[in-house]
Amino acid sequence: MAGWGRISGGDYIQIPWVRNPMKRLYPGIFSFHFRNLIYANGRNSSYLCFEVAGVQYYSSRTVSFHRGVFRNQVYENKSYHAELCFLSWFKANKLSPGEHYHVTWFLSWSPCARCAEEIANFLKQHRNVTLRVFAARLYYFWNPAFQQGLRKLRCLGAQVKVMSYHDFNYCWENFVYNRYMRFRCWKKVHRNYNFMSTRLEEILRNMSLLPEEIFYYQFGNQPRVSEPKGRRKTYLCYKLKLLDVTLEQGYFKNKKKSHAEICFIDKICSLDLDQTQRYKIICYVTWSPCAHCAEKLVAFIDDHPHLSLQVFTSRLYVHWRWVNQHGLRQLWKSNIPVLAMTEPEFTDCWKNFVDNQERPFEPWEKLKQHSDKVKRRLQKILKINTIDLFSEQSSEEIRDLNNLVDAVRNLNLDAHDPHY
């Protein structure tokens, strides 16, 4: 017995009698519970076949390997899904901060909404664990709550896929008492795989993502557009990170009574983040903040010293007005750098916030020239009253603002990180 399982948020999931994993499954159990039916009535148990490879940080050498099977466990008329049983056993028996772990799951059902939340909390707390999930069937794939759970796992870096014929064959060879018999697949295995794979792709692709045409129109840094689509609005895409883990991401657009920046502030405040941690937020905006929003952002960061905020803007909002210029300078003075979006930032925004159908970002004509123009205007604004902007330094100590902007831009490492 593995004992109690501490899983999320410092709280204990009460699984007093977590059994150690089984080595393998009997062929009939595997064929019945892992059959990839679209609607599998009567299959109320969940099975989880797992592999855990522990790798040393500095030598990249595999130092431990574990394989086994968990299923639902019932204690005092309460059922605990296989995912929670694995996490409890793993934390209590195998998890060590000195190793990096590659965990692979083969599930008879994809995680439910509650399990997805627990898995997400686990991944947030343990950056030394990477997770791959292969599901034979999608659990309540039409339910928005279950869809959101899968998207949350995807946002935290977990791979979520549907089991193919090759995955079933792999499980048969490694997790089933097969008596050296070859795997014989059931009818419609390929057709059902194609159906569920398409559904999963649609679920993961619809992570509150921007349509391509909206991105190109709203984030395009051309000073004018010829399409008769009306005025371009403010869109704000944000990414909340703890070290190298993305905890939350999404986008807002202007509402009638609330600018996108205000919606963003309300969202971050609602997360109730741990004030003992240092979080980094990167924002991509179509228009730089107006004077009112700049004031709100400054007050927000002043009230939350555990947050650092970096803003990339496609265009400058009414930059010729002194009040908006003053707002931009106040942001810099409060350590909230506002930088012009260049091709790396547009590419990062495209990858993370656009329903891109896995197509690469295609820059529009004169993107670089428009970015350079926005950058020069922004630098000209920030050079005004530079001594006031950095009042603690003398004018002789103030370096050229171009170098400062480049240095701040280099802090945005994840825009160039291939992991994102």
Side-chain angles (χ1 to χ4, degrees), residues 197-264:
S197 182
T198 301
R199 291 295 301 160
L200 179 61
E201 182 180 346
E202 293 173 352
I203 291 170
L204 298 180
R205 192 171 62 222
N206 186 29
M207 298 192 311
S208 298
L209 298 177
L210 290 166
E212 288 186 36
E213 60 273 14
I214 294 294
F215 172 78
Y216 278 111
Y217 179 73
Q218 299 292 349
F219 275 88
N221 62 355
Q222 310 93 334
R224 296 180 180 84
V225 289
S226 57
E227 293 86 348
K229 296 183 180 180
R231 298 180 61 185
R232 291 187 285 190
K233 301 178 181 179
T234 298
Y235 281 76
L236 182 151
C237 301
Y238 72 93
K239 187 189 300 183
L240 172 66
K241 299 174 66 66
L242 178 61
L243 299 178
D244 60 345
V245 177
T246 299
L247 305 181
E248 184 85 16
Q249 67 180 36
Y251 77 88
F252 295 100
K253 62 180 180 179
N254 273 10
K255 298 180 180 180
K256 288 185 177 180
K257 297 183 179 181
S258 185
H259 284 189
E261 292 89 340
I262 307 304
C263 298
F264 159 75

Side-chain angles (χ1 to χ4, degrees), residues 110-144:
S110 62
C112 68
R114 176 174 177 264
C115 288
E117 183 69 24
E118 297 296 341
I119 298 167
N121 290 333
F122 175 85
L123 293 175
K124 291 177 185 178
Q125 295 178 21
H126 300 89
R127 298 184 299 105
N128 59 331
V129 178
T130 58
L131 177 63
R132 296 191 305 164
V133 178
F134 296 86
R137 299 183 299 271
L138 299 179
Y139 190 59
Y140 284 88
F141 59 85
W142 56 87
N143 188 306

Side-chain angles (χ1 to χ4, degrees), residues 342-360:
T342 60
E343 186 169 341
E345 287 75 47
F346 285 114
T347 301
D348 188 59
C349 193
W350 168 268
K351 289 180 179 179
N352 288 280
F353 302 101
V354 180
D355 186 7
N356 54 50
Q357 309 290 322
E358 298 186 357
R359 288 191 293 268

Side-chain angles (χ1 to χ4, degrees), residues 24-27 30 171-179:
R24 290 175 181 256
L25 295 170
Y26 290 108
F30 175 79
C171 284
W172 176 267
E173 293 178 352
N174 293 278
F175 298 100
V176 178
Y177 293 113
N178 54 51
R179 299 179 181 178

Side-chain angles (χ1 to χ4, degrees), residues 36-295:
N36 64 341
L37 302 174
I38 297 175
Y39 301 99
N41 296 326
R43 290 166 170 80
N44 300 322
S45 296
S46 62
Y47 284 82
L48 182 155
C49 303
F50 71 87
E51 291 179 340
V52 178
V55 180
Q56 283 183 338
Y57 270 113
Y58 301 107
S59 65
S60 298
R61 182 171 62 90
T62 300
V63 294
S64 62
F65 185 82
H66 307 280
R67 178 182 285 159
V69 180
F70 278 102
R71 62 158 294 173
N72 280 16
Q73 297 185 21
V74 178
Y75 181 77
E76 294 184 351
N77 297 324
K78 292 183 180 180
S79 178
Y80 301 95
H81 287 186
E83 299 93 315
L84 302 185
C85 296
F86 170 86
L87 292 179
S88 180
W89 167 84
F90 182 49
K91 288 193 68 174
N93 295 273
K94 304 300 178 184
L95 185 60
S96 170
E99 295 182 28
H100 185 90
Y101 295 91
H102 301 287
V103 179
T104 303
W105 288 352
F106 298 95
L107 293 165
S108 58
W109 286 107
S110 62
C112 68
R114 176 174 177 264
C115 288
E117 183 69 24
E118 297 296 341
I119 298 167
N121 290 333
F122 175 85
L123 293 175
K124 291 177 185 178
Q125 295 178 21
H126 300 89
R127 298 184 299 105
N128 59 331
V129 178
T130 58
L131 177 63
R132 296 191 305 164
V133 178
F134 296 86
R137 299 183 299 271
L138 299 179
Y139 190 59
Y140 284 88
F141 59 85
W142 56 87
N143 188 306
F146 292 81
Q147 294 177 359
Q148 185 60 31
L150 296 176
R151 293 174 192 142
K152 181 172 291 189
L153 294 180
R154 177 71 173 271
C155 287
L156 289 171
Q159 295 184 27
V160 184
K161 296 183 179 180
V162 172
M163 289 181 67
S164 65
Y165 168 82
H166 298 289
D167 299 318
F168 290 118
N169 185 66
Y170 182 84
C171 284
W172 176 267
E173 293 178 352
N174 293 278
F175 298 100
V176 178
Y177 293 113
N178 54 51
R179 299 179 181 178
Y180 301 102
M181 294 186 297
R182 296 180 60 184
F183 174 63
R184 298 179 60 183
C185 69
W186 42 85
K187 294 181 180 180
K188 300 180 182 179
V189 61
H190 298 293
R191 191 181 75 173
N192 292 346
Y193 163 77
N194 291 331
F195 173 84
M196 283 185 283
S197 182
T198 301
R199 291 295 301 160
L200 179 61
E201 182 180 346
E202 293 173 352
I203 291 170
L204 298 180
R205 192 171 62 222
N206 186 29
M207 298 192 311
S208 298
L209 298 177
L210 290 166
E212 288 186 36
E213 60 273 14
I214 294 294
F215 172 78
Y216 278 111
Y217 179 73
Q218 299 292 349
F219 275 88
N221 62 355
Q222 310 93 334
R224 296 180 180 84
V225 289
S226 57
E227 293 86 348
K229 296 183 180 180
R231 298 180 61 185
R232 291 187 285 190
K233 301 178 181 179
T234 298
Y235 281 76
L236 182 151
C237 301
Y238 72 93
K239 187 189 300 183
L240 172 66
K241 299 174 66 66
L242 178 61
L243 299 178
D244 60 345
V245 177
T246 299
L247 305 181
E248 184 85 16
Q249 67 180 36
Y251 77 88
F252 295 100
K253 62 180 180 179
N254 273 10
K255 298 180 180 180
K256 288 185 177 180
K257 297 183 179 181
S258 185
H259 284 189
E261 292 89 340
I262 307 304
C263 298
F264 159 75
I265 292 173
D266 293 340
K267 172 63 177 180
I268 300 300
C269 290
S270 69
L271 297 178
D272 193 22
L273 299 174
D274 184 357
Q275 297 189 11
T276 64
Q277 302 282 356
R278 287 289 298 173
Y279 299 89
K280 178 181 179 181
I281 306 175
I282 298 173
C283 290
Y284 300 110
V285 293
T286 55
W287 291 104
S288 60
C290 67
H292 174 72
C293 290
E295 180 182 352

